[in-house]
């Protein structure tokens, strides 16, 4: 028996492991069992180390149980460059955990890296199927990276060409001892809220890693897996997340709306979501200073406006944002 990366609890699923493939994907197998228990879909861990053939077997098993079942893949790079049809319509996975987009977006809000984000948005829009873009998992953080609130302390991360959550010091002891002061936390929360506001209106599905909505801390992979603070947490942050969730419900047109970027500069990002006659114009400020912008003519008479940090049409406050519905 071959094992994935030598872990004897994780048998290799590909190649000639026919008995194991049948155990997982066959009639009466593991996937059937979980759908019998009520699941709606699967997330495939390290999906880039599975073959197209095995992913297709998984898809067949999922759709055998539920026609509208959904499959996410944990893929960190661009799946369309990997030589496999991971998210080819009707064959493989439906979409991916959107690390490939989230990385540049974090670097933009943390360092003001404009070109990196602009290029990545163009690349994804040109290469990904539209359905995969609209269903991409746009997360606050994940179990494999630093917590959402801690992402905005630039002192602890490498500012290089790697992932923006790569730590300067990733020793277990350093990660375990790390904690922000109240002043550091308050500043991080301001940037974090602006970032989440942008995710709310970006194509894809805003996905909240449990505890991120109440400011659970933890850097590195392990210390980020703290239990949920059922008796505490940041109530102001929780209320903000609830508001963003309500915004998504009030704007169902964004489920399939196209993205048009108006401006990405070192101070703010301005973009538009359009689906037929329904449109929303969004501006998010990544700086601690007020930023002025020009409101497109067709949005000047709008009565439906969402704001963050005392923003208004034509002006976004420090780490503020605004979304104007046509």
């Amino acid at each position: 028996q071959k094992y994935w990366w030598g872990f004897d609890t994780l048998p290799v699923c590909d190649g000639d492991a026919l008995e194991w493939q049948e155990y997982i994907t066959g009639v009466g197998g593991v996937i059937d069992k979980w759908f019998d228990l009520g699941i709606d879909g699967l997330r495939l861990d390290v999906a880039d180390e599975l073959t197209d053939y095995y992913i297709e077997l998984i898809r067949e098993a999922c759709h055998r149980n539920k026609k509208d079942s959904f499959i996410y893949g944990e893929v960190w790079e661009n799946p369309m460059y990997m030589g496999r049809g991971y998210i080819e319509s009707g064959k493989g996975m439906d979409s991916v955990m959107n690390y490939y987009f989230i990385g540049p977006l974090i670097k933009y809000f943390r360092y003001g890296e404009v070109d990196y984000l602009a290029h990545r948005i163009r690349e994804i829009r040109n290469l990904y199927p539209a359905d995969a873009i609209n269903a991409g998992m746009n997360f606050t953080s994940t179990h494999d990276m630093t917590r959402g609130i801690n992402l905005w302390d630039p002192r602890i991360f490498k500012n290089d060409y790697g992932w923006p959550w790569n730590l300067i010091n990733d020793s277990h002891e350093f990660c375990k001892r790390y904690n922000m002061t109240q002043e550091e936390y308050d500043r991080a929360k301001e940037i974090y809220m602006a970032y989440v506001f942008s995710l709310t209106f970006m194509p894809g599905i805003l996905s909240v890693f449990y505890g991120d909505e109440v400011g659970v801390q933890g850097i590195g992979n392990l210390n980020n897996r703290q239990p949920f603070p059922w008796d505490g947490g940041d109530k102001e942050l929780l209320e903000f997340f609830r508001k963003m969730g309500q915004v998504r419900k009030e704007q169902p047109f964004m489920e399939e709306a196209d993205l048009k970027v108006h401006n990405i500069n070192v101070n703010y990002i301005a973009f538009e979501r359009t689906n037929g006659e329904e449109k929303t114009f969004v501006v998010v400020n990544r700086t601690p200073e007020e930023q002025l912008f020009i409101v497109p003519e067709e949005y000047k008479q709008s009565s439906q406006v969402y704001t963050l940090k005392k923003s208004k049409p034509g002006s976004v406050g420090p780490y503020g944002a605004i979304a104007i519905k046509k």
Side-chain angles (χ1 to χ4, degrees):
Q1 176 68 60
K2 296 179 181 179
Y3 298 101
W4 182 75
W5 284 22
F7 293 103
D8 59 11
T9 56
L10 298 172
V12 169
C13 304
D14 298 330
D16 58 359
L18 303 181
E19 184 178 355
W20 183 250
Q21 292 171 16
E22 181 68 15
Y23 176 67
I24 300 295
T25 66
V27 175
V30 171
I31 290 177
D32 283 3
K33 173 66 174 180
W34 280 101
F35 273 95
D36 286 343
L37 294 172
I39 68 170
D40 295 310
L42 299 174
R43 169 195 172 272
L44 304 183
D45 194 57
V46 200
D48 52 312
E49 295 193 15
L50 297 174
T51 63
D52 281 355
Y53 171 71
Y54 190 63
I55 291 175
E56 288 174 22
L57 288 180
I58 293 172
R59 184 180 181 88
E60 290 171 7
C62 289
H63 282 254
R64 179 174 68 240
N65 285 277
K66 196 172 188 293
K67 291 296 184 184
D68 62 347
S69 60
F70 199 88
I71 303 174
Y72 270 120
E74 184 206 10
V75 177
W76 288 45
E77 300 290 349
N78 187 333
M80 309 308 290
Y81 282 157
M82 292 182 175
R84 302 173 182 174
Y86 282 130
I87 51 178
E88 181 181 341
S89 179
K91 290 190 65 177
M93 301 178 299
D94 295 289
S95 194
V96 294
M97 299 179 71
N98 218 354
Y99 286 98
Y100 199 62
F101 167 66
I102 294 299
L105 189 65
I106 290 173
K107 283 200 170 186
Y108 171 73
F109 275 94
R110 193 195 292 158
Y111 304 118
E113 293 192 10
V114 172
D115 293 341
Y116 185 32
L117 177 60
H119 172 77
R120 187 58 54 82
I121 290 174
R122 286 194 300 268
E123 184 181 14
I124 289 173
R125 291 186 73 244
N126 288 336
L127 294 177
Y128 282 36
D131 288 346
I133 294 174
N134 291 330
M137 184 187 286
N138 294 340
F139 44 77
T140 53
S141 70
T142 75
H143 64 287
D144 282 328
M145 56 185 277
T146 289
R147 279 283 182 175
I149 191 67
N150 297 120
L151 288 169
W152 313 106
D153 182 355
R155 301 170 305 166
I156 60 174
F157 298 104
K158 297 177 181 178
N159 185 13
D160 56 19
Y161 291 104
W163 298 107
W165 42 84
N166 288 348
L167 297 165
I168 293 174
N169 184 350
D170 60 359
S171 75
H172 180 63
E173 284 303 312
F174 174 78
C175 293
K176 189 168 64 173
R177 291 194 308 268
Y178 172 85
N179 207 24
M180 287 188 288
T181 65
Q182 188 61 51
E183 181 180 356
E184 291 166 345
Y185 179 92
D186 291 342
R187 179 182 178 277
K189 186 167 77 170
E190 287 193 298
I191 308 172
Y192 184 36
M193 291 169 72
Y195 165 75
V196 171
F197 191 100
S198 72
L199 277 190
T200 301
F201 289 91
M202 282 286 182
I205 297 173
L206 175 58
S207 175
V208 182
F209 184 44
Y210 80 95
D212 279 357
E213 72 274 34
V214 292
V216 168
Q217 294 194 49
I219 65 170
N221 182 352
L222 286 184
N223 199 49
N224 60 348
R225 306 186 188 196
Q226 306 291 335
F228 190 89
W230 294 108
D231 298 327
D234 189 327
K235 298 296 192 295
E236 181 187 29
L237 193 58
L238 177 60
E239 186 57 33
F240 168 72
F241 269 89
R242 285 173 171 164
K243 179 182 178 182
M244 292 297 98
Q246 186 61 38
V247 168
R248 293 286 297 204
K249 288 184 177 180
E250 293 173 356
Q251 303 295 328
F253 88 96
M254 290 197 300
E255 292 176 6
E256 297 182 350
D258 192 21
L259 171 69
K260 178 182 179 182
V261 177
H262 284 244
N263 191 356
I264 305 179
N265 58 55
V266 73
N267 296 318
Y268 66 82
I269 179 171
F271 60 92
E272 190 177 21
R273 298 296 307 283
T274 63
N275 190 352
E277 290 301 310
E278 291 195 87
K279 299 181 178 182
T280 295
F281 181 70
V282 184
V283 180
V284 186
N285 181 5
R286 60 162 297 275
T287 77
E289 291 86 31
E290 177 190 20
Q291 300 296 332
L292 304 180
F293 66 93
I294 297 174
V295 179
E297 192 65 35
E298 61 183 323
Y299 290 95
K300 290 184 177 179
Q301 304 302 319
S302 176
S303 60
Q304 192 169 15
V305 178
Y306 303 98
T307 63
L308 174 67
K309 301 293 184 184
K310 298 181 180 180
S311 300
K312 59 186 178 181
S315 169
V316 278
Y319 302 117
I322 188 168
I324 309 171
K325 179 76 181 292
K326 179 182 175 183

